Amino acid sequence: MTESTKYLLPENQIPKYWYNIQADLPKPAPAVLHPGTLQPVGPDDLAPLFPMALIMQEVTTEREVEIPEPVRDVYRLWRPAPLYRAHRLEKALGTPAKIFYKYEGVSPAGSHKPNTAVAQAFYNKEAGVKKLSTETGAGQWGTSLSFAGSLFGLEVLVFQVRVSYDQKPYRRALMETYGARCLPSPSNQTDFGRRVLAERADHPGSLGIAISEAVEVAAKSDDTKYALGSVLNHVLLHQTIIGQESMLQMQMADAWPDVVVGCTGGGSNFAGIAFPFIGDALRGGRKARIVAVEPAACPSLTRGKYAYDFGDTGHMTPLTKMHTLGSTFTPPGFHAGGLRYHGMAPLVSHLKELDLIEATAYHQTECFAAGVLFAKHEGIVPAPEANHAVKGAIEEALRCKREGRSETILFNLCGHGHFDMQAYADYAAGKLTDQKYDESELAMALSGLPSVPQAA
Amino acid sequence: MTESTKYLLPENQIPKYWYNIQADLPKPAPAVLHPGTLQPVGPDDLAPLFPMALIMQEVTTEREVEIPEPVRDVYRLWRPAPLYRAHRLEKALGTPAKIFYKYEGVSPAGSHKPNTAVAQAFYNKEAGVKKLSTETGAGQWGTSLSFAGSLFGLEVLVFQVRVSYDQKPYRRALMETYGARCLPSPSNQTDFGRRVLAERADHPGSLGIAISEAVEVAAKSDDTKYALGSVLNHVLLHQTIIGQESMLQMQMADAWPDVVVGCTGGGSNFAGIAFPFIGDALRGGRKARIVAVEPAACPSLTRGKYAYDFGDTGHMTPLTKMHTLGSTFTPPGFHAGGLRYHGMAPLVSHLKELDLIEATAYHQTECFAAGVLFAKHEGIVPAPEANHAVKGAIEEALRCKREGRSETILFNLCGHGHFDMQAYADYAAGKLTDQKYDESELAMALSGLPSVPQAA
């Protein structure tokens, strides 16, 4: 075994540009609409929520967007992230496939989320913003923005879904260690939160509700902006650093992926690893299959409708065309909290419509089985979200074994599971089940989609 | 800020040899004694507990001990570990000092412990051993041996101090994910455990008791050996990879430490970073001050007696000459579980007697304050043990500020705090106190030291 286990890049090879897939799309993605007028939103409509630099990144069609030096300087704390060859996992599977994984768990917050949190904190600081409000479920995103806010001297207010706030105090402790303030959502700090609490005082909360609260705080305050950890174009843009580094590292390994696999919740880590490869192929480079893996209990890409919908429960966001289960859909309480979102990033959805990506869905127990197998052979215990990508990659490797093909598989190991060990304990104790969503609830949520003329 | 943030080495620069400080000592360390005969123990006395390769490493005076290729191959999963320049911490402190830190938290288990766990698992596997027994407190060591056992196909049985077993289920979940079996100690699986339980059915356990149980299991079984995570010469030997890599990385940074700082419990991470620098100075190289930082509530180096003592409560181990608080001493329940040991590694103790190292002690709240400051500026949340090294390094940096000296400080950040967030939550809530040991209990423990003729 003298072949390399991991491929490291020096600091000066941190990419200087984020890659914008909007420059290479065969057909532009549908416009974002104002929910009142149903007309495309302009930069001014978004100005109460985001600094202008991020709004411009949301709509630009420039292929390369320069990464500001202060952002690259923070990236140096953990980037470039390593690319691994999973020698031991390959051997355990007995597959002729070569499996590579990009490991984003080396960031201080433990996932890919700081790639955009740091950029968002920087642009907000530049714009004179004092405070950021955001939502978080299990806590990966809230932790990352808290970390970024700490480095740039911004106050951070995190609305954490109440059930996670109560059940997972350690993520909250981490956010507070970085100096952030963390409130359980629904809270009595916003009109929307109070409205929800008036209907049900012990409401467990949801991501959609927490988004509404965080948006409300930003919309009503002069010195506060809102930050979102996935879904939006600029968030996906910032994550492309993952795929760009991976391309350099695959070249170091003298290999190139036949298949690229990522898990999808809002779509940001998947876009991060996949978009640079898709763009390269669109410009004439070698084409890889691109596989999105989502949870069977919240299957927006495989079971959702491609339609205009709201991003939140309080209907404060613009309308975006995306694969959605309906903004009132409440997924079962499975452990991959980062994948429990009713919608999918508009750009990822658009690529699915263009047949540039595939999608598949797995249940949580088979994903945990994959994660435990991975940990036993590769050492790293993946986050429950990342287990979906591990499962997807293992399935591809087993297909290669059946077909006798030595394909090259690349997947994104987007985070570690150090704050998710209760899920592993439950899995080991046989307590995890494959929760299914309620078909009639899904039908109802889909029937409640906003009515938008087809032309839009 | 274009100066490097971190210094990475390629995989092929993982050292090929461990460094053995016994080759360079101006005076050999005192012999290990059999508690019955008070004569030096021979290899055969230790054979029931350890494979012969490790026993030979315990006593060798060769300067370089070759690292077997299968061990280096596992090291590749995370080594070489990065060396960081703490630019942001320096700025926050306003110090002219340069602060560097070696980060061992990148291992799958989250600390430096796998450096020796992997080596121990390898040598045991080579010797035909089927099963390893060990003890763990908070769980860093048990996790690391479980990880190593998983890679080499060895069963691992971990006796975890009962109070930690009950309070910290996530470390146990991690050990079980790697396939290990974890029992609360005292257990009813050993004679010694049953004896302790007979006296007190709800005994909370201690490291000393857990060691006795693990040793008993190994001593009574043909296919089981015992593994210890610190204190012994071969354990410290395996950790020297930390300091050796650091030397190469300091050269990359065109710098050399004036002060090297590490936290001390059993002494292994401290020895790992310090011994190569001490040895280099003993052979005529540049001399650095070497500072051991221990918890004020368990201060073996600063308050213990340098004397022969047992390593465990059940008095099943040989006698080693070391700084000890007495094998019956029970430290208060502070959070840095890895530093709650009554003794100090014989080699570290010997260096202290030779005035080749300094020692200092801090209370836990000031160490947590240092850790939180570090996290806010450098991102990584240190383990409570590592916070002692952070505190020591910050104190040196502040001294440099007072004295207007731009010295170079290097410390070992031996692990992350992802499994210790309850401690951070308690600290943030003002619930942490600076527990003091009982002076009369210390006096009693010291008065109970075994009687060994001075000549020994």
Coordinates of all heavy atoms in Angstrom, one line a residue, chain B residues 135 185-187 192-193 196 203 205-214 312-314:
Chain B
E135 N -8.4 0.4 29.8 CA -9.3 1.3 30.6 C -9.4 2.6 29.9 O -8.6 3.0 29.0 CB -8.6 1.5 32.0 CG -7.5 2.5 32.0 CD -6.2 1.9 31.3 OE1 -6.0 0.7 31.4 OE2 -5.5 2.7 30.7
S185 N -16.8 0.5 34.8 CA -15.9 -0.1 35.8 C -16.1 0.7 37.1 O -16.2 2.0 37.1 CB -14.4 0.1 35.4 OG -13.5 -0.1 36.4
P186 N -16.2 0.1 38.3 CA -16.0 -1.3 38.5 C -17.1 -2.2 37.9 O -18.3 -1.8 38.0 CB -16.0 -1.4 40.1 CG -16.7 -0.2 40.5 CD -16.4 0.9 39.5
S187 N -16.7 -3.3 37.4 CA -17.7 -4.3 36.8 C -17.7 -5.6 37.6 O -16.9 -5.8 38.5 CB -17.2 -4.6 35.3 OG -16.1 -5.5 35.4
F192 N -11.3 -8.2 40.9 CA -11.0 -6.9 41.6 C -12.3 -6.0 41.5 O -12.7 -5.4 42.5 CB -9.9 -6.1 41.0 CG -9.5 -4.9 41.7 CD1 -9.0 -5.0 43.0 CD2 -9.8 -3.6 41.2 CE1 -8.7 -3.8 43.7 CE2 -9.5 -2.5 41.9 CZ -8.9 -2.6 43.1
G193 N -13.0 -6.0 40.3 CA -14.2 -5.2 40.2 C -15.3 -5.7 41.2 O -15.9 -4.9 41.8
V196 N -14.5 -4.5 44.7 CA -14.8 -3.1 44.9 C -16.3 -2.9 45.0 O -16.8 -2.2 45.9 CB -14.3 -2.2 43.7 CG1 -14.8 -0.8 43.8 CG2 -12.8 -2.3 43.6
H203 N -20.3 2.3 43.4 CA -19.0 2.9 43.3 C -18.8 3.6 42.0 O -19.1 3.0 40.9 CB -17.8 1.9 43.5 CG -16.5 2.5 43.8 ND1 -15.8 3.3 42.9 CD2 -15.7 2.4 44.9 CE1 -14.7 3.7 43.4 NE2 -14.6 3.2 44.6
G205 N -16.2 4.5 40.4 CA -15.1 4.1 39.6 C -14.0 5.1 39.6 O -14.1 6.3 40.1
S206 N -12.8 4.7 39.1 CA -11.6 5.6 39.0 C -10.7 5.0 37.9 O -10.8 3.8 37.6 CB -10.9 5.7 40.3 OG -10.1 4.6 40.6
L207 N -9.8 5.7 37.4 CA -8.9 5.2 36.4 C -8.0 4.1 37.0 O -7.8 3.1 36.4 CB -7.9 6.3 35.9 CG -8.3 7.0 34.6 CD1 -7.3 8.1 34.3 CD2 -8.5 6.0 33.5
G208 N -7.6 4.3 38.3 CA -6.8 3.3 39.0 C -7.5 1.9 39.1 O -6.9 0.8 38.9
I209 N -8.8 2.0 39.3 CA -9.6 0.7 39.4 C -9.8 0.1 38.0 O -9.6 -1.1 37.8 CB -11.0 1.0 40.0 CG1 -10.8 1.4 41.5 CG2 -11.9 -0.2 39.9 CD1 -12.1 2.0 42.1
A210 N -10.1 0.9 37.0 CA -10.3 0.4 35.7 C -9.0 -0.2 35.1 O -9.0 -1.2 34.4 CB -10.7 1.6 34.8
I211 N -7.8 0.4 35.5 CA -6.6 -0.2 35.0 C -6.4 -1.6 35.7 O -6.1 -2.6 35.0 CB -5.4 0.6 35.5 CG1 -5.4 2.0 34.7 CG2 -4.0 -0.1 35.3 CD1 -4.3 3.0 35.1
S212 N -6.7 -1.7 37.0 CA -6.6 -3.0 37.6 C -7.5 -4.0 36.9 O -7.1 -5.2 36.7 CB -7.0 -2.9 39.1 OG -6.1 -2.0 39.8
E213 N -8.7 -3.7 36.6 CA -9.6 -4.6 35.9 C -9.1 -5.1 34.5 O -9.1 -6.2 34.2 CB -11.0 -4.0 35.7 CG -11.8 -3.8 37.1 CD -13.3 -3.8 36.8 OE1 -13.8 -2.7 36.6 OE2 -13.9 -4.9 36.9
A214 N -8.6 -4.1 33.8 CA -8.1 -4.4 32.4 C -6.9 -5.3 32.5 O -6.7 -6.2 31.7 CB -7.8 -3.1 31.6
D312 N -1.6 1.6 39.6 CA -3.0 1.3 39.7 C -3.5 1.2 41.1 O -2.6 1.1 42.0 CB -3.4 0.1 38.9 CG -2.9 -1.2 39.6 OD1 -1.8 -1.1 40.2 OD2 -3.5 -2.2 39.6
T313 N -4.8 1.2 41.3 CA -5.3 1.1 42.7 C -5.2 -0.3 43.3 O -5.0 -0.5 44.5 CB -6.8 1.5 42.7 OG1 -6.9 2.8 42.0 CG2 -7.4 1.7 44.1
G314 N -5.4 -1.3 42.4 CA -5.4 -2.7 42.8 C -4.0 -3.2 43.1 O -3.8 -4.4 43.5

